[in-house]
């Protein structure tokens, strides 16, 4: 589960790092793995596992961000948009999986993660929260900078999917 959560987090962080005005839903979706890479026969079968959706009057609104939709029907990211980005990765036991969601608001110059519960590490739930490294405060003050691995995911995607990585 630790490895699945770490991989899931890396894909989520790679997507978040691309959120800014002028980017497209295709650029964001392109950093997520192809369905076959995590055990599904095609993008339709994996729909909503690597996923983004607007948040507003309804729970799922435009923009929709997924490999199934966004690579062929891209939508420009604009200031003021609010959406959720969600990632999934299966564990090696064939049964468990990691799933993480963050809410993002697009600013004039980039983005802000507005989810305030920290989800950077796998948690063990109970009377108190713990990560694999120990006790966890339930407050997130700032968004962490992308790691080297996240930057590598974005750069690799830019080469294979032919989208920008700036």
């Amino acid at each position: 589960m630790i490895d699945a959560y770490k991989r899931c987090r890396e894909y989520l962080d790679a997507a978040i790092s691309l959120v800014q005005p002028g980017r497209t839903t295709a650029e964001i979706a392109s950093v997520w793995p192809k369905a076959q890479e995590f055990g599904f026969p095609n993008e339709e079968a994996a729909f909503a596992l690597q996923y983004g959706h607007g948040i507003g009057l309804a729970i799922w609104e435009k923009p929709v961000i997924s490999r199934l939709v966004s690579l062929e029907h891209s939508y420009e990211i604009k200031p003021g948009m609010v959406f959720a980005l969600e990632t999934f990765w299966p564990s090696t036991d064939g049964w468990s999986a990691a799933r993480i969601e963050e809410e993002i608001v697009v600013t004039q110059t980039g983005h802000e993660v507005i989810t305030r519960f920290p989800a950077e590490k796998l948690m063990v739930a109970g009377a108190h929260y713990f990560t694999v490294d120990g006790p966890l405060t339930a407050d997130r003050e700032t968004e962490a900078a992308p790691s080297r691995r996240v930057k590598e995911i974005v750069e690799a995607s830019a080469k294979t999917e032919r989208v920008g990585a700036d």
Side-chain angles (χ1 to χ4, degrees):
M1 281 305 301
I2 293 168
D3 292 338
Y5 198 87
K6 181 179 178 183
R7 187 97 179 248
C8 189
R9 186 75 228 186
E10 288 172 345
Y11 285 125
L12 182 58
D13 289 342
I16 291 169
S17 75
L18 293 175
V19 175
Q20 65 183 45
R23 288 276 192 190
T24 66
T25 56
E27 290 174 289
I28 294 169
S30 71
V31 298
W32 290 333
K34 294 177 179 155
Q36 296 84 351
E37 293 177 48
F38 59 101
F40 289 83
N42 55 50
E43 296 303 329
E44 188 173 357
F47 186 68
L49 292 177
Q50 313 292 352
Y51 191 65
H53 59 86
I55 302 170
L57 297 176
I59 191 161
W60 284 7
E61 294 185 355
K62 286 184 177 182
V64 170
I65 305 168
S66 75
R67 292 186 67 85
L68 178 66
V69 175
S70 301
L71 298 181
E72 292 183 20
H73 305 284
S74 188
Y75 195 82
E76 184 180 349
I77 302 300
K78 298 177 182 174
M81 287 182 165
V82 180
F83 50 85
L85 292 175
E86 308 174 35
T87 54
F88 165 93
W89 194 261
S91 67
T92 56
D93 68 6
W95 180 258
S96 305
R99 177 94 173 153
I100 310 170
E101 177 177 336
E102 297 280 15
E103 279 66 46
I104 315 293
V105 63
V106 182
T107 65
Q108 293 294 325
T109 58
H111 69 269
E112 180 183 346
V113 174
I114 58 175
T115 312
R116 289 298 170 231
F117 191 85
E120 283 78 11
K121 294 184 180 181
L122 175 64
M123 293 179 292
V124 177
H128 301 283
Y129 292 105
F130 294 89
T131 72
V132 293
D133 296 328
L136 173 73
T137 174
D139 297 316
R140 176 191 289 162
E141 296 299 323
T142 60
E143 177 182 349
S147 69
R148 181 184 58 77
R149 174 74 177 123
V150 166
K151 291 176 183 176
E152 290 170 359
I153 291 170
V154 172
E155 290 168 3
S157 173
K159 290 176 186 171
T160 60
E161 302 292 343
R162 296 185 176 19
V163 296
D166 298 331

